[in-house]
């Protein structure tokens, strides 16, 4: 019976091609959406690498000024923050947390290898502010004040890419490759951290290099010249209320009179980053939703139409000894076989993405799960669409079905 | 073999009620070749459908092999149609997208049987109707008479005791019709098959053992 079903579908392949193509297109779009959603959701389940609760920050915009004057005012601001009993710790953050679109990338070189990393510039108390775990080595600190290298901390992905399992601590990496004529920037790896997804909860794991930003060393104070904005992150005591924000605001604007300063909570930055990250998946999901509705309606129509056209065949099968159930399962089964043909085509194209590595940051696992979920959804839609026509076909009176030629 | 007791069939449509059969009492013996005649619309097809359990009477009982079929559920009815009855229709009712031999196998796919055995029996049936050379053809490549022979092969492939043929020669010229009738006659002789055949053609009807006539749903002789 199964064999004959395949034969019939094969012999009717031209008439069935519309349905197969429809299923192919919907499967592939569904697969793309599933991959996007899976990727984002998979990221969401991964650890962020740091805590954002009770972390606030000053956004500082000092306009153009003499670097020495900026440094002096920044020191005063640091003192102001030090003197607040509500503030546990604070640290510069030249780079932004929870701003997936604002990251800077740089090449770093080690033993002939070039690795592109996300650069994150930050201060000495950063691990305290964010409860960052140091896996190996140490964070930057006062002992680096006299250093003639720029101290850096790598996350595990950057360390793996540069040193391939060897101990990164103490290694010197370079800003330019060895052939570079002139002064080559030297970075000394002092520590190793695990995950650090500064872009936010829906962004992927990246290779990150965190470099010291400090006024206490000539090599690490260059941000004064290069930036006009920085942030100072600070951890407040649990339960600190919003009126502290107002009080602090008064004090910092008093210290830095003509600077633009804002106080925000890291949690709201996280939420807006999440919203930003969800825009594309949401749009895709909506488009896909419409697509699925269309496909379901089309599928339903086609199955119904085909069943109607095959009334005489259904009547004949009943006369030849088919039960109602067998008719029912034949229609559902044929629809599923057609769906399978459409999906085999779809899977062929879908597996090209991981095989060709077109999107390197999406894992094979994510693709595999997306393919499986898409298969499941398409089968489900097919079954739902086939139920009603199959039922109608099964309940046809055989004598009447045979009558309609 | 088949016994009809007080059969009445009423078709209820939105506007009108048609009395297609009224008080039919009939017994067909094993191995008997019975012809059913009557003008168009007198209920011949309805009668055949009821005998073949394709339709249910509004009143009355159908007995097959002495067993009342009133209480038969779908599964049992399907089984009886599959094992005991072979159908032949005026318009052949072949599946155009299946080859001749696949068409003939159709009743056997509703039994548990190996595909090799199915194929063997289908080829044997095709040989009986003289179509061994056309097993791989598709119905569209055959003449009307050949198509009806395929349909006969399909009707007999399961070894039924009863053949129900609704105007099997209705679409054929007299030569082809004669061939079809020869095949049916041979079946009655060789395998003692019971045949009930609807026909308009007197010369064909007269080759059968007995003729019954219907008029407006009632038996007239
Ligand atoms: N499914 C049906 N619904 C309503 N009326 C029907 C149906 N089938 C047959 N009839 C009516 O029943 C009568 C007998 O039909 P039928 O048995 O097909 O006649 P015959 O085969 O002798 O030409 C006709 O009047 C026909 O219109
Ligand atoms: Mg008729």
């Amino acid at each position: 019976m199964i064999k004959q079903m395949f034969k019939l579908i094969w012999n009717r392949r031209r008439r069935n091609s519309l349905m197969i193509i429809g299923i192919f297109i919907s499967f592939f779009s569904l697969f793309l959406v599933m991959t996007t959603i899976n990727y984002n959701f998979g990221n969401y389940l991964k650890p962020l690498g740091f805590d954002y609760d009770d972390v606030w920050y000053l956004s500082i915009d000092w306009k153009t000024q003499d670097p020495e004057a900026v440094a002096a005012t920044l020191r005063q601001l640091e003192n102001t923050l030090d003197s607040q009993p509500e503030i546990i710790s604070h640290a510069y953050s030249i780079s932004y947390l929870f701003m997936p679109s604002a990251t800077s990338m740089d090449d770093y070189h080690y033993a002939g290898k070039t690795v592109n990393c996300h650069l994150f510039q930050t201060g000495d108390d950063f691990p305290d502010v964010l409860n960052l775990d140091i896996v190996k080595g140490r964070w930057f600190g006062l002992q680096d004040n006299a250093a003639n290298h720029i101290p850096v901390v790598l996350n595990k992905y950057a360390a793996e890419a540069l040193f391939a399992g060897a101990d990164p601590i103490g290694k010197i990496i370079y800003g330019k490759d060895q052939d570079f004529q002139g002064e080559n920037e030297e970075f000394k790896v002092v520590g190793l951290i695990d995950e650090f997804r500064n872009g936010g909860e829906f962004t992927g794991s990246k290779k990150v290099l965190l470099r010291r930003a400090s006024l206490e060393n000539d090599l690490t104070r260059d941000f004064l010249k290069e930036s006009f904005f920085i942030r100072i992150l600070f951890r407040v005591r649990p339960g600190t209320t919003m009126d502290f924000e107002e009080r602090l605001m008064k004090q910092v604007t008093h210290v830095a009179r003509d600077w633009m300063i804002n106080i925000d909570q890291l949690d709201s930055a996280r939420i807006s980053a999440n919203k930003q990250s969800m825009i594309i998946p949401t749009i895709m999901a909506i488009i896909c939703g419409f697509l699925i509705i269309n496909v379901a309606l089309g599928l339903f129509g086609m199955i119904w139409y085909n069943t109607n056209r095959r009334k005489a065949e259904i009547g004949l099968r009943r006369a030849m000894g088919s039960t109602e159930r067998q008719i029912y399962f034949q229609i559902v089964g044929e629809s599923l076989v057609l769906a399978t043909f459409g999906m085999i085509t779809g899977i062929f194209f879908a597996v090209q993405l991981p095989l060709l590595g077109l999107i390197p940051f999406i894992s094979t696992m994510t693709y595999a799960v997306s393919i499986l979920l898409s298969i499941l959804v398409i089968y489900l839609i097919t079954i739902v669409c086939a139920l009603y026509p199959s039922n109608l076909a099964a309940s046809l009176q055989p004598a009447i079905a045979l009558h309609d030629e | 073999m088949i016994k009809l007791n007080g059969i009445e069939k009423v078709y209820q449509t939105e506007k009108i009620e048609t009395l297609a059969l009224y008080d039919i009492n009939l017994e067909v013996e094993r191995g008997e070749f019975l012809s059913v005649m009557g003008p168009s619309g007198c209920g011949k097809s309805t009668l055949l459908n009821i005998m073949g359990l394709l339709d249910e009477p509004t009143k009355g009982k159908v007995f097959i092999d002495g067993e009342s079929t009133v209480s038969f559920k779908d599964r049992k009815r399907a089984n009886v149609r599959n094992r005991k009855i072979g159908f032949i229709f005026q318009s052949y009712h072949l599946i155009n997208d299946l080859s001749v031999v696949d068409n003939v196998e159709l009743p056997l796919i509703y039994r548990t049987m190996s595909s090799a055995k199915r194929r063997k029996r289908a080829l044997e049936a095709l040989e009986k109707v003289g179509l061994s050379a056309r097993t791989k053809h598709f119905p569209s490549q055959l003449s009307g008479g050949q198509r009806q022979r395929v349909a006969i092969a399909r009707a007999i492939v399961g070894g039924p005791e009863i053949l129900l043929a609704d105007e099997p020669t209705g679409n054929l010229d007299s030569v082809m019709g004669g061939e079809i009738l020869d095949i049916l006659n041979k079946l009655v002789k060789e395998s003692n098959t019971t045949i009930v055949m609807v026909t308009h053609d007197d010369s064909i009807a007269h080759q059968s053992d007995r003729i019954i006539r219907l008029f407006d749903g009632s038996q007239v002789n």
Side-chain angles (χ1 to χ4, degrees):
Chain A
M1 193 160 161
I2 306 269
K3 195 172 149 196
Q4 209 215 45
M5 187 158 90
F6 274 93
K7 226 180 245 177
L8 203 57
I9 287 170
W10 176 248
N11 290 349
R12 284 176 178 158
R13 61 194 173 277
R14 205 170 300 164
R15 226 171 309 152
N16 288 327
S17 58
L18 203 65
M19 189 159 149
I20 293 176
I21 291 170
I23 286 175
F24 159 67
I25 292 172
S26 42
F27 172 82
F28 195 73
S29 339
L30 191 64
F31 160 74
L32 292 181
V33 174
M34 287 282 184
T35 305
T36 315
I37 291 171
N38 273 347
Y39 172 69
N40 283 282
F41 186 67
N43 287 336
Y44 188 80
L45 294 180
K46 278 195 278 189
L48 203 50
F50 58 88
D51 280 351
Y52 49 81
D53 289 326
D54 295 322
V55 178
W56 297 13
Y57 60 92
L58 296 176
S59 309
I60 301 169
D61 175 357
W62 60 67
K63 317 256 169 56
T64 344
Q65 268 194 25
D66 161 34
E68 287 315 312
V70 173
T73 310
L74 282 176
R75 282 210 169 89
Q76 272 180 289
L77 279 177
E78 284 190 58
N79 288 337
T80 307
L81 296 177
D82 279 339
S83 65
Q84 307 298 319
E86 287 89 347
I87 294 182
I88 299 170
S89 57
H90 59 83
Y92 291 127
S93 176
I94 315 299
S95 316
Y96 292 155
L97 283 174
F98 295 122
M99 206 169 280
S101 53
T103 62
S104 67
M105 307 274 296
D106 253 322
D107 281 344
Y108 296 92
H109 306 271
Y110 177 77
K113 221 184 267 179
T114 300
V115 173
N116 195 256
C117 295
H118 289 259
L119 169 64
F120 202 92
Q121 255 181 296
T122 183
D124 292 353
D125 284 333
F126 194 67
D128 296 336
V129 177
L130 292 180
N131 292 337
L132 206 63
D133 278 337
I134 294 146
V135 176
K136 208 167 188 187
R138 61 173 177 85
W139 197 258
F140 346 111
L142 299 175
Q143 64 266 58
D144 296 310
N145 285 355
N148 47 5
H149 307 293
I150 298 168
V152 295
V153 169
L154 302 180
N155 78 344
K156 62 177 173 187
Y157 305 107
E160 180 61 31
L162 280 161
F163 307 114
D167 187 1
I169 307 299
K171 296 275 191 328
I172 305 283
I173 56 181
Y174 296 92
K176 302 280 187 312
D177 63 27
Q178 281 126 325
D179 302 336
F180 178 72
Q181 308 287 316
E183 208 178 322
N184 202 343
E185 258 186 323
E186 291 182 3
F187 304 91
K188 183 174 186 176
V189 181
V190 300
L192 181 70
I193 58 171
D194 198 67
E195 190 65 82
F196 188 70
R197 294 192 294 128
N198 53 307
E201 290 165 313
F202 290 109
T203 59
S205 301
K206 300 166 196 155
K207 301 187 274 282
V208 185
L209 176 144
L210 299 103
R211 100 176 233 194
R212 188 186 189 209
S214 166
L215 298 174
E216 312 310 327
N217 177 296
D218 281 346
L219 293 171
T220 58
R221 72 191 329 243
D222 51 355
F223 66 90
L224 289 177
K225 281 171 278 172
E226 287 163 9
S227 303
F228 301 115
F229 324 93
I230 67 166
R231 284 176 172 184
I232 301 177
L233 299 172
F234 55 94
R235 174 169 289 279
V236 297
R237 291 192 191 287
T240 302
T241 49
M242 292 306 288
D243 59 301
F244 173 61
E245 183 184 317
E246 239 169 90
R247 273 185 284 132
L248 182 64
M249 192 63 184
K250 271 194 201 121
Q251 296 186 45
V252 296
T253 41
H254 185 74
V255 170
R257 282 182 183 283
D258 43 356
W259 290 9
M260 296 248 302
I261 299 184
N262 276 311
I263 301 176
D264 284 296
Q265 298 191 3
L266 203 51
D267 194 41
S268 29
R270 175 186 68 96
I271 290 166
S272 64
N274 287 355
K275 278 186 190 148
Q276 198 188 329
S277 298
M278 285 323 285
I279 291 174
I280 290 174
T282 308
I283 292 174
M284 285 184 79
I286 291 171
I287 294 173
C288 186
F290 277 112
L291 197 94
I292 287 176
I293 291 171
N294 266 306
V295 166
L297 289 176
L299 207 63
F300 177 77
M302 266 188 276
I303 297 173
W304 196 2
Y305 173 75
N306 277 334
T307 319
N308 256 316
R309 223 181 32 187
R310 289 169 61 186
K311 266 188 184 170
E313 180 194 325
I314 290 161
L316 174 79
R317 286 176 184 275
R318 293 292 298 281
M320 297 296 118
S322 167
T323 61
E324 288 177 25
R325 270 170 68 88
Q326 281 167 325
I327 294 291
Y328 183 87
F329 285 117
Q330 184 191 345
I331 304 291
V332 174
E334 283 184 12
S335 308
L336 288 177
V337 171
L338 286 180
T340 307
F341 284 166
M343 283 195 282
I344 287 172
T345 328
I347 291 168
F348 173 80
F349 284 98
V351 296
Q352 300 307 314
L353 268 80
L355 286 183
L356 302 175
L358 292 180
I359 310 171
F361 55 83
I362 294 184
S363 69
T364 308
M365 191 63 194
T366 306
Y367 283 123
V369 170
S370 306
I371 289 178
L372 285 179
L373 282 176
S374 306
I375 291 174
L376 223 76
V377 171
I378 295 282
Y379 273 140
L380 216 75
I381 293 173
T382 309
I383 289 175
V384 167
C385 290
L387 285 184
Y388 181 67
S390 309
N391 225 340
L392 276 188
S395 56
L396 271 178
Q397 235 290 303
I400 291 173
L402 277 166
H403 205 71
D404 295 6
E405 244 300 54
Chain B
M1 190 80 237
I2 307 172
K3 195 170 143 202
L4 304 183
N5 246 2
I7 295 294
E8 187 175 317
K9 178 69 183 179
V10 179
Y11 285 115
Q12 192 82 50
T13 50
E14 282 153 37
K15 292 223 176 77
I16 47 159
E17 202 176 78
T18 314
L19 184 61
L21 291 174
Y22 179 72
D23 195 30
I24 303 289
N25 295 287
L26 181 67
E27 196 161 351
V28 189
E29 302 293 328
R30 180 177 295 271
E32 188 181 11
F33 190 167
L34 175 75
S35 287
V36 180
M37 298 195 73
S40 182
C42 70
K44 305 182 295 293
S45 296
T46 306
L47 181 72
L48 223 61
N49 288 338
I50 286 174
M51 281 182 177
L53 307 188
L54 288 177
D55 208 347
E56 287 178 62
T58 316
K59 245 191 218 163
K61 285 183 177 176
V62 179
F63 295 85
I64 291 182
D65 275 344
E67 197 178 357
S68 166
T69 61
V70 171
S71 60
F72 284 8
K73 296 272 188 304
D74 174 57
R75 189 196 263 274
K76 175 79 176 157
R77 296 169 75 86
N79 196 277
V80 171
R81 290 195 292 258
N82 183 249
R83 302 211 167 241
K84 291 210 168 148
I85 303 172
F87 291 91
I88 301 165
F89 308 94
Q90 178 177 356
S91 53
Y92 326 126
H93 280 306
L94 299 177
I95 298 176
N96 289 325
D97 297 308
L98 289 178
S99 69
V100 163
V101 64
D102 284 331
N103 263 290
V104 175
E105 279 184 21
L106 194 64
L108 303 183
I109 68 169
Y110 297 107
R111 300 184 185 179
T112 40
M113 191 183 275
S114 74
S115 55
K117 191 164 178 206
R118 266 206 298 268
R119 180 55 47 117
K120 186 170 162 275
R121 289 186 62 170
L123 292 174
E124 282 166 8
L126 280 166
E127 199 179 338
K128 279 191 192 149
V129 299
L131 275 179
S132 291
R134 315 246 168 202
T135 59
K136 292 276 187 296
H137 284 58
F138 281 82
S140 58
Q141 299 167 304
L142 302 179
S143 71
Q146 287 170 331
R147 286 184 210 187
Q148 194 61 296
R149 274 146 66 190
V150 175
I152 293 174
R154 181 183 62 192
I156 62 173
V157 73
E161 295 158 29
I162 304 162
L163 273 185
L164 301 176
D166 194 349
E167 301 190 42
T169 59
N171 284 358
L172 304 175
D173 62 33
S174 58
V175 179
M176 288 196 202
E179 286 174 14
I180 296 299
L181 212 75
D182 290 343
I183 294 171
L184 294 181
N185 271 322
K186 207 172 79 185
L187 283 172
V188 179
K189 280 200 203 91
E190 282 178 3
S191 44
N192 203 28
T193 310
T194 310
I195 300 184
V196 180
M197 177 182 69
V198 170
T199 184
H200 278 304
D201 190 327
D202 270 311
S203 66
I204 284 180
H206 279 107
Q207 298 186 39
S208 62
D209 303 331
R210 176 158 67 114
I211 300 175
I212 62 159
R213 290 176 198 275
L214 293 184
F215 190 78
D216 264 359
S218 299
Q219 206 175 330
V220 290
N221 57 330

